[in-house]
Amino acid sequence: MQQKRFRVRPLCKAFGAELTGVDLSRPVDKELYAAIRAAFVDYQLLLFRDQDLSPAGHVAIGRSFGEVQIHVMSQYHADGFPELYFLSNLDEHGEPSGRHPDRGTLAWHSDGSWRRVTGQATMLYAIEVPRVGGETHFCDMYAAYEALGEDMKARVAGLRAVHNLDFSRTRRHGEDPMSEAQRREVPPVDHPVIRTHPETGRKCIFLGDHAETIVGLDYQDGRRLVEEINALAIRPELVYRHVWRPGDLAIWDNRCLMHRATPYDTARERRVMRRCTILGEVPH
Ligand code: OGA
Ligand code: MN
């Protein structure tokens, strides 16, 4: 029988917790699942170390959180599972290629904000990690909202941003753009810049690198405002920097955190990560 309890070690002051004593390669019963789910909502980011997670097991844990995203960029699907997204710098011989698989991940973002139903949770599993760099940083969007001045809060209240994967992909990884069919599948959508978390009722900034402009503003004015709010959202004191070890599984809440990867030497180091994103709801 799966263990019923785990220990919680906070990762930083604001959010994040490592849960120890859980083996996710074994079945997760209802009681344990409920405890993990409650910790996820409370801590925003959960870390499980030393996990031996098969692709099928990864998908199964994803499904326990909800409907799993089938990513439109099907060239990243992993291990025969369209529910998994593979981030690897290795070439067909298994050697570092010198190419970053997705430079869009290097800018602060929220997974799947480019769909009407956005990403709820992401489960990112480390298979191979570089000696230096290739960290993932997380920033608390509840606290970022609270830290906005009253003037800024009033200015952004009611604004909606256009999120567009084609925009961010072209900007960050333009040498490998979306196909026409992929573009058609995910047309731009708009979401509130300040959303209310459906489970905690707390307000948070919901923007990031997939946000292109602001509804109702001139395009360039909207671009500038997106950049301005994105810059205000990221404050060093609200950031947790995760240094990966192989076997780490991080589960985070995309509704109230933004994240980014940091660069590494893609010609010399090896970095292989597997991701599963679970759909949530239409932001309000
Ligand atoms: C992602 C992502 C972070 C990382 O896959 O969406 O942001 O550290 N990855 O690779
Ligand atoms: Mn991401």
Side-chain angles (χ1 to χ4, degrees):
M1 202 162 73
Q2 174 67 268
Q3 62 279 32
K4 294 284 188 219
R5 301 161 72 120
F6 46 75
R7 296 169 72 91
V8 174
R9 186 182 70 83
L11 293 175
C12 72
K13 236 166 78 188
F15 66 93
E18 179 185 347
L19 303 193
T20 57
V22 182
D23 178 357
L24 293 171
S25 70
R26 297 161 68 192
V28 173
D29 59 49
K30 274 208 175 93
E31 189 183 327
L32 178 62
Y33 168 73
I36 291 175
R37 184 72 205 178
F40 165 78
V41 173
D42 283 352
Y43 287 98
Q44 306 165 249
L45 165 68
L46 302 181
L47 172 66
F48 301 87
R49 301 208 106 139
D50 305 313
Q51 299 297 317
D52 181 8
L53 200 58
S54 67
H58 197 163
V59 174
I61 295 169
R63 288 230 172 89
S64 72
F65 268 52
E67 185 189 344
V68 167
Q69 177 198 57
I70 308 294
H71 204 286
V72 59
M73 303 292 274
S74 53
Q75 62 269 42
Y76 290 93
H77 292 177
D79 297 322
F81 286 91
E83 298 91 343
L84 299 175
Y85 188 100
F86 211 45
L87 286 162
S88 166
N89 69 317
L90 305 183
D91 64 18
E92 63 275 26
H93 309 295
E95 296 302 325
S97 65
R99 285 189 301 275
H100 193 284
D102 183 355
R103 282 187 281 104
T105 61
L106 300 172
W108 290 99
H109 65 282
S110 171
D111 287 340
S113 73
W114 37 270
R115 289 305 284 258
R116 179 67 54 206
V117 173
T118 62
Q120 171 213 134
T122 291
M123 302 182 174
L124 185 62
Y125 180 59
I127 298 167
E128 292 193 72
V129 303
R131 283 160 293 195
V132 180
E135 299 173 1
T136 308
H137 294 177
F138 299 89
C139 189
D140 180 1
M141 291 298 112
Y142 290 132
Y145 173 71
E146 284 151 22
L148 292 177
E150 291 309 316
D151 283 359
M152 198 62 190
K153 279 186 185 159
R155 201 167 148 215
V156 297
L159 290 183
R160 297 183 70 85
V162 176
H163 293 245
N164 181 359
L165 180 61
D166 185 31
F167 162 76
S168 52
R169 180 74 182 188
T170 304
R171 183 177 184 204
R172 304 294 184 188
H173 208 107
E175 73 276 20
D176 183 14
M178 297 175 77
S179 70
E180 267 314 314
Q182 288 171 336
R183 284 193 187 104
R184 271 198 303 276
E185 205 178 315
V186 290
V189 295
D190 58 276
H191 294 304
V193 170
I194 307 304
R195 74 183 287 185
T196 302
H197 192 288
E199 290 174 80
T200 64
R202 294 176 67 193
K203 285 185 178 177
C204 35
I205 298 179
F206 188 68
L207 210 57
D209 203 56
H210 302 304
E212 182 171 7
T213 188
I214 300 291
V215 175
L217 291 192
D218 164 76
Y219 180 82
Q220 285 305 339
D221 290 345
R223 282 285 316 121
R224 271 192 291 274
L225 186 53
V226 165
E227 294 300 329
E228 186 184 342
I229 303 167
N230 272 338
L232 286 173
I234 307 303
R235 295 168 194 263
E237 68 275 18
L238 305 180
V239 172
Y240 166 69
R241 297 168 184 80
H242 186 60
V243 179
W244 292 93
R245 295 197 321 225
D248 283 356
L249 178 74
I251 304 182
W252 68 83
D253 190 336
N254 284 294
R255 302 168 294 187
C256 54
L257 287 177
M258 285 213 276
H259 64 281
R260 68 157 180 206
T262 67
Y264 62 100
D265 185 342
T266 55
R268 286 188 188 78
E269 298 280 0
R270 308 168 65 86
R271 189 175 195 264
V272 181
M273 311 286 285
R274 208 206 283 135
R275 185 182 99 200
C276 183
T277 295
I278 297 90
L279 299 177
E281 52 282 305
V282 177
H284 290 291

